[in-house]
Amino acid sequence: HIDWSCDSQALHSNCGAYELLFWESETGKQITRGATSLRDEEWATWTAVIGWPVQGVYPPYSDGTDINAVDRSTKKFGNNEF
């Protein structure tokens, strides 16, 4: 699960500890404060199973192993653009 920011400057991924990790695309270095510094970032895709856009897919009492794949729609609520 690896996703690009719309400007291609950052990536995010999930790890085995069920964390959302952030990376600089040019250097490959981890952005340790990525959740804060990239909180308003627009993401071109979202296939990570962890994060705000996909939090509703987890049923009650589930753990990180219950959802293995997601693919968020690029259509935004309230407009007809894709």
Side-chain angles (χ1 to χ4, degrees):
H1 311 284
I2 297 175
D3 299 296
W4 290 89
S5 61
C6 287
D7 64 5
S8 300
Q9 298 298 305
L11 299 143
H12 70 221
S13 63
N14 293 133
C15 71
Y18 305 106
E19 295 177 323
L20 186 58
L21 305 175
F22 299 88
W23 310 91
E24 293 178 2
S25 61
E26 191 171 311
T27 65
K29 292 183 180 181
Q30 186 174 2
I31 305 169
T32 56
R33 296 186 48 83
T36 301
S37 64
L38 297 171
R39 70 176 174 262
D40 296 324
E41 190 70 35
E42 290 283 330
W43 296 93
T45 60
W46 197 290
T47 59
V49 296
I50 306 292
W52 287 110
V54 296
Q55 69 178 352
V57 302
Y58 284 90
Y61 311 109
S62 63
D63 66 22
T65 63
D66 293 325
I67 304 295
N68 296 310
V70 298
D71 189 4
R72 181 208 60 194
S73 173
T74 56
K75 183 175 180 181
K76 296 184 178 184
F77 293 108
N79 73 31
N80 295 323
E81 296 179 23
F82 289 88

